């Protein structure tokens, strides 16, 4: 049995990203066996020319082919955090984020933390806060949940804690943000 060839892609962090990458692979006649956030498995290794064209196509769409093991692991950390926060299951997490990441990635958290900080220039904890605030912005814009419900869904101990972090990141309270005429949201892959 032939083993599929795996490609790792930076900034592939949402369902829309999957669609765009799939379309680009189709244009190059690269048949994915499986595709998930941050990763594509191909039936066979792409030719040098296909790889060059894929790199270009990915860059045009805000993605990047990862060819470094450390960068690949950092991308997996980001995806695990984004998936957890967007799942709405943070409040049900029976372990802290550090244990969750160590378990998900099968690596010591200290190593993950040191690597992430060196590669990204911010801590995993800070990245988690930034992702939670972006998710809070999204949920506030939908106007379907109360601030208390948003706080609970994102795993905050209180509305005050969410509000304090929100203000520290955005410079405004959640209420002020909600009233703003043009909400200032960032794409998930630009949060840092």
């Amino acid at each position: 049995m032939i083993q599929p060839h795996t490609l790792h892609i930076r900034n592939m962090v949402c369902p829309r990203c999957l669609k765009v990458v799939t379309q680009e692979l189709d244009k190059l006649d690269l048949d994915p066996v499986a595709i998930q956030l941050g990763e594509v498995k191909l039936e066979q290794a792409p030719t040098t020319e296909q790889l060059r064209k894929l790199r270009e196509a990915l860059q045009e769409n805000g993605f990047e082919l990862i060819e470094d093991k450390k960068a690949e692991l950092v991308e997996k950390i980001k995806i695990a955090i984004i998936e957890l926060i967007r799942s709405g299951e943070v409040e049900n997490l029976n372990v802290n984020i550090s244990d969750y990441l160590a378990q998900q990635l099968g690596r010591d958290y200290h190593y993950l933390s040191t690597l992430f900080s060196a590669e990204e220039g911010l801590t995993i904890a800070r990245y988690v806060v930034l992702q939670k605030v972006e998710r809070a912005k999204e949920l506030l814009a939908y106007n379907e949940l109360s601030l208390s419900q948003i706080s609970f869904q994102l795993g905050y101990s209180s509305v005050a804690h969410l509000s304090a972090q929100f203000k520290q990141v955005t410079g405004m309270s959640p209420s002020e943000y909600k009233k703003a005429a043009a909400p200032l949201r960032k794409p998930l892959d630009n949060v840092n």
Side-chain angles (χ1 to χ4, degrees), residues 58-189:
L58 290 173
Q59 283 184 321
E60 287 174 13
N61 288 288
F63 304 111
E64 181 183 342
L65 206 52
I66 300 172
E67 299 178 69
D68 170 91
K69 291 293 180 193
K70 289 181 179 178
E72 183 182 313
L73 186 53
V74 167
E75 197 65 15
K76 287 180 179 181
I77 293 167
K78 288 180 176 181
I79 289 168
I81 291 167
I82 290 168
E83 286 179 333
L84 176 64
I85 291 170
R86 297 195 64 75
S87 73
E89 295 297 316
V90 179
E91 80 277 2
N92 295 328
L93 194 61
N94 293 327
V95 296
N96 58 34
I97 295 280
S98 58
D99 292 339
Y100 172 79
L101 290 173
Q103 178 184 351
Q104 288 293 308
L105 300 170
R107 299 286 186 110
D108 174 67
Y109 180 75
H110 180 70
Y111 173 74
L112 295 174
S113 176
T114 303
L115 174 65
F116 191 90
S117 295
E119 295 286 318
E120 293 296 310
L122 74 156
T123 65
I124 289 176
R126 179 69 179 160
Y127 186 77
V128 168
V129 168
L130 294 172
Q131 286 295 335
K132 283 182 173 186
V133 167
E134 284 307 311
R135 181 66 175 152
K137 287 180 187 178
E138 182 180 356
L139 294 171
L140 286 167
Y142 294 159
N143 204 24
E144 295 173 347
L145 301 174
S146 70
L147 197 52
S148 180
Q149 290 169 315
I150 293 170
S151 172
F152 178 74
Q153 189 178 96
L154 294 176
Y156 283 99
S157 57
S158 67
V159 171
H161 188 207
L162 165 62
S163 296
Q165 284 191 341
F166 194 96
K167 185 159 187 152
Q168 184 224 8
V169 171
T170 66
M172 59 180 90
S173 71
S175 302
E176 291 168 333
Y177 177 84
K178 200 170 179 177
K179 291 176 189 171
L184 307 169
R185 289 188 47 215
K186 293 181 180 180
L188 293 178
D189 53 337

